[in-house]
Amino acid sequence: MYNKSGDKMKFLITGFEPFSRNETNPSGDILKDLKSENIETLLLPVSYLRVRDLLEAKIKEVKPDIVISLGLANKRAYLSLELCAINYQRASITDNDNNLITGKLIKPNGKEAYFTSLNLNDLLKVLAVSNIKADISTSAGSYVCNTVYYNLLELQEKYNYKGLFIHLPSYDNLSYNDEVKALLEIIKYLNN
């Protein structure tokens, strides 16, 4: 499919490195099976302070039409399509730079929240056809995933793309192959 300029749609998919007690991170693992001619990928550090600059630099380079960021939500039993990101950071664990943030704004004087402009109900229908368990979540949490999503949605105003964050469950709840299949189905749908 083509964007408004008549060029092929470009996607940027981001994921994270392992963090805390997680020896693997599905959000980073699956990036290698998503990269293609019109899909660029970026492995992000689990770092409150470094993610925005890395994300923005890659967006400038790729000039994507759609950016999908992935994260790990170990305790969820299904794929979670995140509706919004809030201007807040708080966690009981450190990031991979050993920063513990127990309550602060991501951007002082920034918007309280940003919402994705993508139709999540349509994406749920696409996933249901592929027998992938998914739901809409109203909270990307307040750890680094939310920090990435907040910055992703704020930057879309400057760089003119659409953004989405998806939390993946652990492999105990959804296999690697099904996680890749789910992302490819979402990309295929958004590409039409």
Side-chain angles (χ1 to χ4, degrees):
M1 187 45 98
Y2 299 90
N3 61 21
K4 292 175 185 171
S5 306
D7 299 320
K8 228 177 171 185
M9 291 274 281
K10 287 185 193 171
F11 289 81
L12 172 60
I13 313 293
T14 75
F16 285 106
E17 65 190 1
F19 66 100
S20 189
R21 292 182 294 232
N22 301 292
E23 293 179 15
T24 63
N25 189 333
S27 74
D29 294 348
I30 70 172
L31 294 180
K32 67 183 180 295
D33 286 319
L34 298 177
K35 196 165 185 172
S36 70
E37 180 188 345
N38 66 327
I39 301 171
E40 290 284 332
T41 62
L42 173 64
L43 182 67
L44 290 169
V46 179
S47 166
Y48 290 109
L49 300 177
R50 293 187 284 143
V51 290
R52 182 184 172 95
D53 290 344
L54 293 168
L55 181 64
E56 186 168 14
K58 192 68 171 182
I59 289 167
K60 280 182 186 176
E61 174 195 329
V62 173
K63 298 177 181 60
D65 298 293
I66 296 178
V67 181
I68 301 173
S69 288
L70 308 173
L72 171 63
N74 263 333
K75 295 180 181 172
R76 298 191 192 175
Y78 48 82
L79 216 71
S80 296
L81 308 177
E82 299 297 349
L83 180 63
C84 68
I86 59 170
N87 188 6
Y88 190 68
Q89 296 169 322
R90 184 178 196 284
S92 59
I93 59 172
T94 63
D95 69 4
N96 284 357
D97 293 336
N98 210 32
N99 292 312
L100 179 64
I101 297 181
T102 57
K104 86 179 223 189
L105 296 177
I106 295 168
K107 186 171 186 180
N109 303 317
K111 278 188 175 181
E112 289 182 7
Y114 285 98
F115 289 78
T116 184
S117 61
L118 294 171
N119 188 322
L120 301 186
N121 287 313
D122 285 352
L123 293 179
L124 283 181
K125 291 173 190 170
V126 167
L127 293 169
V129 168
S130 298
N131 293 317
I132 303 291
K133 287 173 63 175
D135 204 353
I136 295 171
S137 166
T138 56
S139 173
S142 55
Y143 190 50
V144 180
C145 290
N146 178 67
T147 299
V148 166
Y149 200 21
Y150 185 87
N151 285 301
L152 172 68
L153 294 178
E154 181 194 34
L155 288 168
Q156 75 181 358
E157 295 175 357
K158 182 177 179 181
Y159 295 103
N160 195 29
Y161 59 83
K162 292 182 185 259
L164 175 64
F165 196 98
I166 301 172
H167 267 117
L168 304 175
S170 70
Y171 295 135
D172 293 337
N173 292 315
L174 191 62
S175 73
Y176 177 88
N177 288 340
D178 281 343
E179 291 188 5
V180 171
K181 178 182 173 184
L183 264 294
L184 291 175
E185 288 298 324
I186 288 170
I187 290 165
K188 180 180 170 185
Y189 172 78
L190 293 173
N191 214 8
N192 289 325

